[in-house]
Structures are given as C-alpha cells and as structure tokens.
Amino acid sequence: MSGYQTGVLVILCFNIIAAYAVYLPLAANQLNLGIAGFMAVGAYAAAWLTTELNWAIAPAVLVGGGASALVALVVATPILRTQGIYLALATFALGQVISAVFLNLEVVGAAAGYQVPAYAPAPAVFAATAAIVAVVFYLSRTRFALYLTALKNDATVSELLGLNVRALQIAAFAIGAAIAGIGGGLYAHHFSFIEAQHFNVALSITTVLYVLLGGTQTVWGPLVGALVYTLLPEVLRVGAGWRYVLFALFIIGFMAVRPRGLVTPDLGRRLGAMLMRRARPGKAVP
Amino acid sequence: MIAQQLVNGVMLGAIYVMVALAFTLAIGILNFMNFSIPGLFMAGGMATWILIHRGVPWWAAAVVALIVAAAISLAVERLSYRPSNEGDVEVPLVSSLGFLVLLQSLVLATVGSDQQAFPAVLGDLNLRIGGLVIGAAQVLSLAISMVLVIGLTVALKSTSFGRQIRSIAESRETATLLGIDVGAVIPRVFVISAVTAALGGVLFALNYLQVSPFMGENVGFKGVAAMIVGGMGSVWGAVLGGLLIGVAEVLSIRLFGADTVDIAVYGLLLVLLVVRPQGLLGKPPAREKL
Amino acid sequence: MTGTPLLRFEDVHLAFGGLRVLQSLDFDVRAGEATALIGPNGAGKTTVFNVISGVYRPQSGRVLLDGRDLAAVAPRQRIRHGIARSFQNVRLMAHLSVCENLMVGQHVKTNGLRDLLAPFRLMGNHRWRREAIDALAEVGLEAHADAPVGGLPYGIRKQVDLVRATLAGASLVMLDEPAAGLNPTETNALRLHLERLKARGITLLVVEHDMHFIDRISDHVVVLNFGRKIAEGSLAEVRRHPEVRAAYLGIEEAA
C-alpha cells in the first residue's frame, strides 16, 4: 500500500468512527451538532495521559472515550429534557463551549496546540475502527437498537409500552460520545498534534451531513456516507478547496430527491430480492 | 470605561439582532431552522468586499450583495424547504446546513481562508458625547436594525401581507382555506429573511473593517444564540437577545480576554436552553395529543 | 354478575385550564368482563384511557387497580402492572415491521440488560419472533410478519395495534374504537378475537361507537357525557335511560 493510499484509508477510518458517533444518538432521535466537542474531550484526555503520565496508548484512548462518555452523562440529563430543535441547538452550544474551554486550558497548550509524542501507527487505527464498527453492528442486532427505532418513531407510545425512553436516549447519547472520544484519542496519537481549533463547528456539521447522506434508518448508512464523503473527492481528483463545494452540492441535491439517505431498509429488501433471483434463476420473485 | 463598553456591546448587538431576526422569521413563520442564514450573512459581507475590489462603488456593491443573498435564499426555499414539507424536520435543517457549507467552501476555494481588510468607506466620522466615542458606522447599524425591527412589527401587524404571514404562521391549512396563496407568500418570507441577514453582514464589514469566509460561523451563529435567548419566533425577542449577547460578549472580552467569548456566549445559551428553552419572550411549546 | 372490580374510578376530576374534562367520575371495571365506555364525541372516553395510562394526572380522586392507587405508578410502569392499550388513531412504529412492532410490545416480559443486549436478530428464528408470529396467526395475519407497517391497509394496522397491546401479558386491555374503519369481515374477526381474550381471563375496557358491536361483546356499559357518568348497566338498561336518550338524540336515528 502506498503512503497516499494509507493516508486516505486512515482518514476514512476517522470519518467512519465520527459517523457512528453521530449515528447512535440520531437513531434515538437526537441530532448531535456538537460531536467535535466530544472528540476533543477524548483527544485531550488521552493525549494528556500518554504525555504527562506516560500511559500506554490503548488504555489512554479507552479512558479518553470514557471521559467523553462521562461528559455526555453529566450533561445528558438536563440537555435531554429539551427536545427536537432545542436539543440540536443545545448540543451545538455544548460543542462550542467544550472547544472554547480547551482553547483556554494551559495544561494542554491552550491556543498553541498540544504535541503528542506517543504514536499510533495506521494498522492500530484500522484495528480500532474495525472493532468499533463490529460493536455497532452487534448492537444493531439487539433489542437496544429495536427500541431506539421504536422511540424515534413514537416516544409516547414507546413509554406506554414500558420502555424507559429517557434511559435509552441517555445510553445512545453516551455511547455515541464514547465512540467520538475514542476517535479523538486515536486522532491525537496518529497525527501527534492537536489544537482546539480543529474540533470546530464545521467538523461537527460535516459529520452530521455525511451520516444523513448515507441514511440513518439502517446501520449501513453511516458507513456508506463516510465512504462517499471520503473517497468521492479522491476518485474525482478535485482540489482540496473544491471538495467541500462538491460535497455540499451533493448533499443539497440529494436531500431534495432522496431525503431518507442513500441506504434505506427498502433498498436492503430490494437488493435481497435481487440476490434471491440471481441465486434461483427461473423462479420469479414478486 | 464601562459605559463605552456598554455602547460597543449594544452596537455589536445591533448586528446580532439582524441575524436573529432572520432566524426568527424563518422559524416563527415557516417552522424552519434555516442554517443557511449564517452563510447569507457571510455572503452579504463577502460579496460587497469582492465588488468593491472590482471598482464598484460601495453602496452599489452592498445593494448587489443583498440581491445575491436573496437569490441564494430562493434556491434554499426551492431545494431545502419545499421538497420536504411533510417529511422529517431534520431534512430541511440538514439541507440548509449543506447550503452553509457550500457558501463557506465556495468562498474558501475562490478567495482563500485569510481575513480581508474592508475599506473604511464611511471615513472616521466619530460622534463624541460626553466621554463616549461612537462611530458613524455604528450609528448606521443601530439605526438600520431598529428601522427594520419597527418596520417589520408594523408591517406584520397592519398590512395585508403581514396578516397573510401571521395566518400562515398560525396554521397553513387555515390560511389556504382563507384563500391565501401560501406558495407565493413563502418565497417572499425567504427573501426578507435573507436580505436582513445579508444586511447584517454588510454592516458588520462597515463597522469592523474586515470580512472572512468564517464570519458566518463566528458572528452569524451568535445570531442563533440571540434568537434562542430572546425566544424563537418573537421579533422583539430577537432584539432583546441580540443586544444581550452583544453586551455579554464585549463585557466578557473586557473582563476575561478574547478567547473566553465562546465560553460565555454559548455557555449562557446552554444554560438557558436547559432552564427556559422557550427563551425570555417566547411561548412554551404545546403538549402532545394522543 | 361475576368478579370483583379490577379497576375502580373514585370521584375523579380532571380539568385543562378552565375546561372540565372529567367530573366526579365513579365506575368499576370488573375482572374478567368486557366493559364498554360509550358517549357522544367529546364525552371524555379517550381521556379516561389517558388517565388510566398515566398520560394525564387527575386533579383529585383516585384510580385503583386491584385496590392499589395508580397515582404512585409511573406511566411507563403501568404496563408492568397489567395495563395495556391500543390507540384510537393506530400508533404503530412506521419504520418497523409488523413483527418488530410486536417485539416492542413484548418488552415488559423480557429480562433486563441481558435480553436488551442479546443479538436476537443474528439467531434466525428466535423465540421472541416465534411468539410474535404465533400471536399474529391468531388473527390470521402471519403472512404480514415482515412487512413494514407504513404500507399496510388501515384494517390490518388496526389489528396489529391490538395484538401488540395483548403481548405484554396484561390483565386489562383498553381498546379505543377497535371496530372503527373495519369492514364487516374484519369486525367479525375482531369480535372473535376479543372473545378469545376474554376466555383467557383478560379484562377488556372498550370505547366504541358501533352499538351492534357493543351489544355483542360487552357485559357492562358505562355512559359518559361532558365528562360525567350519566348511566350504567346492561346496554338494554342504559338505552332506556332518559339522559342517555337525550344525549344521543338524533344520533341513533341517524345511524
């Protein structure tokens, strides 16, 4: 694999991790517009542990994810009292506050940024990404995921059927934050440098955009969204500045014609039927 | 000197008022969280700067910039708002975020990421009242935003267009039954909202003598905060919220330094969203029926 | 007359702002019976369901389930105490399949975190799925198990809503206009299904406008008007009641 290919794959991995961090709360009807803030918590916590306390990278990254989940748990209860647009705006404000706090935090370099000597090579990033994807896919096969879809469809009825809607939403929000934190910790150790300005609104927003581009009704959507977002500009060989222009045009056009995203359950069923037809030629599938 | 800081805060607040007004019109009338508005704010300032660079007189440049913003806003209406009238609420929101990314990255790709100096077209006309110094551009911003607010209030209350808008905000079905051409009124709301936001961007450039691709993200988003603080959908809430955020920002810079502004403003917003999500002058949301 | 009261309303008052929705309401739902709640539109029938589910909290009075005051039981916990319901406007989760909707209905019978995190969708024909399909088979809908609910005809969605309400093992099932919008064949199937539920000892509380249907299934009728009980007894008895005749004046003739 060339250095260029490895570089693209690493970026793809970080985008996939971020996508699932946004997807989980979104599956529970929570639009998190502040995911960059949670990445920052994980990144700074893990970097501080390896740099100042000489921890090994793996436990530091996991604790970084835990720290991010902890922040999510602390803010979840009051924030999730708000719903819909208010919740989205509260997460937006939270992301801004977190990134502004790191901009002022002297122990991790404040505005000058933070050097991270411990290095996580590309294969480590690949392995961690695979593990996160595996965990999310596992979850998608459980009642937990079933209940998230249920409460997203109708929270009142879910509650009357006995679901603890609040606890499920907090769990989805916190697991999403943990994933974002792990992604942030890996990012810090792969690129050896972090600065608060990296974890900005644009990062949060573009992540949400490609997740919705992929679609949030199935667990495949975020993966496809991250793939399209990362690889399409590479394939088309557009300059760095124009890739976002292209991406934004893509999003707008797409939302106008296919607002449920690229991957929908319906698409899955149709693909399934096609494969069946292939497998059993001559037998018509209605 | 605290009085001078308050004056500066109010003048900055006047800009936030305009962005908050643009947001509040969209959410109050159309129930649309239109995230393209910070982009239109930036487009207003940036287009004016580009045209001045090409030798266009500043006032003509500003007028063209407003027309450009209005045209973009009509595209937002057509591509983000209209297709998903019955669908999820998040789809138009996300699509309008797409427009924000589009505008910002277009400017980044063509002009670059640097902050650009905006010419001091109004000279250094300063008013001195007692010990206070007030710039001509500041007075102009405050005057224009107040004229807009009062004009909008009067128009919403007593013109037939205003009555049509209010009945659409109340219930789209009833408005249609009353014979209002909803399809014709809505694009006009988008134009008004866009012109308000872009005018904010132009006035920001005139006041602070700078434009950048990130001005929408840095300044325009504070308008969201202002709208929520004041109460979504309330015109006077936008005024109150805008002025409060302006003053809070100037005072926190004065007291704690420039890097703490986002903590103060967005922290305030976060607390408010939790404690009183309907804002200072807004109405609490209705309860669900089974 | 069989049984003790499973559910009892004692002097229940509910008002929204100045609007009195339920006034001094008393009635019993006896265990093992089908009690019908009838009355003109706006009489407060669905409101009674919402009070029992805990969606609304009465200002005064008590609602007792097996002698226990429901005020202390959170809405989410009431299904664990045996109260389940269907909805007037059919509230199924549109993005889930029929079978998945029913699995959500099984929730209270599952076993905490272990079942929550069991990857049952990886295990082909899991017992949860079989249970759901068996329940569907009772109403002859097993063929629709994997159909997304969104595209199904109203009559079928209505029956799925009802089946979901019965999967939690509830002792009291509330049905909000179960026959509305059903064709005669479907209505007949519904009636047979309700008979089966009753035979299993499930208590039914039914809001319905179709008097013929009520006549066939109910043991006891409570009539509401403007949030008050104006009569109760057998359908024949309440029909003779002067206040009921006044409340329904014109409605019976029109029907």
Side-chain angles (χ1 to χ4, degrees), chain A residues 157 161, chain C residues 91-93 101-102 105 160-167:
Chain A
V157 170
L161 288 172
Chain C
R91 300 272 292 253
L92 294 173
M93 284 75 177
N101 264 281
L102 299 183
V160 174
D161 192 38
L162 168 61
V163 172
R164 186 177 65 182
T166 61
L167 280 179

Side-chain angles (χ1 to χ4, degrees), chain C residues 8-245:
Chain C
R8 164 168 280 180
F9 266 56
E10 272 183 11
D11 196 25
V12 170
H13 287 262
L14 177 74
F16 297 134
L19 185 70
R20 292 185 185 174
V21 207
L22 297 179
Q23 297 185 57
S24 188
L25 188 60
D26 291 288
F27 70 90
D28 284 351
V29 176
R30 280 188 288 269
E33 289 191 357
T35 302
L37 209 51
I38 65 171
N41 284 325
K45 303 177 298 280
T46 300
T47 307
V48 166
F49 278 18
N50 282 334
V51 167
I52 299 171
S53 302
V55 178
Y56 301 146
R57 210 166 237 285
Q59 271 87 16
S60 68
R62 300 195 302 169
V63 180
L64 304 170
L65 180 78
D66 256 337
R68 177 194 174 128
D69 193 344
L70 279 179
V73 182
R76 165 167 72 78
Q77 297 292 352
R78 293 190 186 194
I79 194 163
R80 285 180 202 280
H81 288 76
I83 299 175
R85 73 181 281 189
S86 74
F87 298 88
Q88 190 178 348
N89 37 1
V90 185
R91 300 272 292 253
L92 294 173
M93 284 75 177
H95 291 150
L96 294 177
S97 71
V98 168
C99 193
E100 289 169 328
N101 264 281
L102 299 183
M103 286 179 181
V104 179
Q106 298 166 338
H107 168 67
V108 292
K109 289 195 294 186
T110 62
N111 189 5
L113 208 57
R114 226 191 70 215
D115 280 355
L116 186 71
L117 296 178
F120 75 96
R121 281 162 166 167
L122 293 176
M123 309 171 189
N125 209 6
H126 192 271
R127 96 187 128 80
W128 289 331
R129 187 179 154 80
R130 284 201 306 274
E131 245 172 60
I133 290 178
D134 288 348
L136 274 176
E138 273 187 55
V139 289
L141 291 179
E142 67 274 24
H144 298 286
D146 294 312
V149 222
L152 289 174
Y154 183 75
I156 293 182
R157 280 190 286 141
K158 192 119 194 169
Q159 292 179 72
V160 174
D161 192 38
L162 168 61
V163 172
R164 186 177 65 182
T166 61
L167 280 179
S171 49
L172 172 69
V173 174
M174 301 187 274
L175 304 152
D176 204 341
E177 302 196 14
L182 299 192
N183 63 34
T185 324
E186 289 170 333
T187 309
N188 209 35
L190 170 69
R191 191 177 55 74
L192 290 173
H193 186 57
L194 296 189
E195 294 293 345
R196 273 197 300 272
L197 294 180
K198 262 170 80 176
R200 275 182 223 159
I202 293 174
T203 308
L204 302 175
L205 180 59
V206 187
V207 165
E208 188 46 70
H209 285 295
D210 179 346
M211 290 301 154
H212 189 65
F213 185 78
I214 288 176
D215 195 28
R216 301 283 297 273
I217 63 138
S218 65
D219 304 288
H220 189 75
V221 177
V222 175
V223 191
L224 298 185
N225 198 18
F226 296 112
R228 266 178 224 281
K229 181 178 77 181
I230 57 175
E232 70 178 311
S234 70
L235 185 61
E237 281 163 8
V238 300
R239 264 178 202 268
R240 287 194 294 272
H241 196 283
E243 247 189 285
V244 177
R245 297 181 77 91

Side-chain angles (χ1 to χ4, degrees), chain A residues 19 25 30 51 63 91 121 183 226 231 245 253 268 278 285:
Chain A
Q30 304 155 349
T51 310
V63 170
T91 55
L231 299 184
V245 176
R278 286 267 171 80
V285 176

